Amino acid sequence: MAAVEAAAEVRYADAAGLPAALRGADCLLVWDFLSRAVEPAFAAADRLGWLHIASTGVDNVLFPAMRQSDVLLTNSSGIFDGAIAEYVLGCVLAFAKDFRTTLTAQREKRWYHRETERIAGRRAVVVGTGPIGRAIARLLAAAGLQVTGVGRTARVADPDFVAVQASSDLHKCLGEADFVVAVAPLTDATAGMFDKAAFGAMKPTARFINVGRGGLVVTDDLVEALQGKVIAGAALDVFEIEPLPVRHPLWSLPNVLISPHMSGDFVGWLPALAELFVDNFGKWQAGMPLRNVVDKQLGYVPAR
C-alpha cells in the first residue's frame, strides 16, 4: 500500500470514524468485507467516486443508496478462484473417501477396514457460473466428475460445464446431482434459494457444499434435511450468522463439515488483495478502466 500512500492522502478508519473519514474522500477501500459500517456512514460521502471491497461478494456494501448512486463499485474477483475450487474438491473427496471415519478410527487406534466411494463418473451441479464456479467445474471435471452449471440463462455449449441450465430449472438439476455446490452471489434473486423444497429435490445420497454466502440457504431447512436424512451431508464454509453460534445444531451433526469462512484464504491471500487494489488505484489515477467493475443492479461482475 506504500504506492497509494505516496500518491494520495490516506485515511484509516474504523466503523466509528468512517463518516468523518469519508468527507471529501474520492475512493474507499473496504478491507473488512464482513463490515456493515459503510451504509450508516454513506451520507457523509460527499465526493466519493469509487468503492473497492476486498472480497468477491459485495452484498454488505450494495445497500439501496449505494446501488442508486453514481459511485463505481469494484470487487476482488479472481483472487480466490483456485483456492475455493481446491476446497470444494477436498470436500468431495472427504465425503467420498469417508475421511471423518478414518480419522476417528485412527484416534481410537482401531483397525477399521471398509469400502469407500469413487468420484469418477459422479455428477456435480455448481450453482453459480462466475469465475469461481468455473474454476470449481474445471477441477471437478479433471477429477472425473460430470459437472453441470446453473446460471441465469441456459447454454448448451460451454467451455467449462457439460451444460448450463437456467436457474428456473434448479430443482430439476438438483435431482440429478451427487454433489451440489453453492457459489452464487447473494442477491435478491438468490437469497434463500436452498430451502426445504430445494433440499427435498435432491437425492438422499447427495452432499451439499456451500462456499457462496450463508444467505443462499434457509438454515433451519438445511438442519431439518440433514437430521431427517433428506440429504446425506453438507460441507459449509459460510453461514447466515458468523461466527456460527456455539449452540447451533450444525456443530454436532455427524454428517456436516464446518469451516469458518476460510475456503479461499490461502497463504498469501492478504498481499494478493492489496496488490489488486494498488493496481486498480493506479488505473483510477490514470483514468483507465478498472478491473472487476460490479454491475450494481445484478450484484456481481458480469461475464465478458
Side-chain angles (χ1 to χ4, degrees), residues 58-75:
V58 298
D59 41 289
N60 282 344
V61 296
L62 202 52
F63 43 87
M66 175 62 185
R67 193 187 298 269
Q68 296 160 14
S69 74
D70 294 327
V71 177
L72 193 69
L73 175 62
T74 59
N75 71 0

Side-chain angles (χ1 to χ4, degrees), residues 17-67:
L18 186 56
L22 275 175
R23 293 187 185 98
D26 297 294
C27 64
L28 171 64
L29 166 61
V30 180
W31 188 252
D32 180 2
F33 71 94
L34 294 175
S35 173
R36 295 185 177 271
V38 178
E39 183 173 9
F42 194 68
D46 51 2
R47 58 180 287 174
L48 191 67
W50 169 41
L51 187 156
H52 179 86
I53 186 167
S55 70
T56 302
V58 298
D59 41 289
N60 282 344
V61 296
L62 202 52
F63 43 87
M66 175 62 185
R67 193 187 298 269

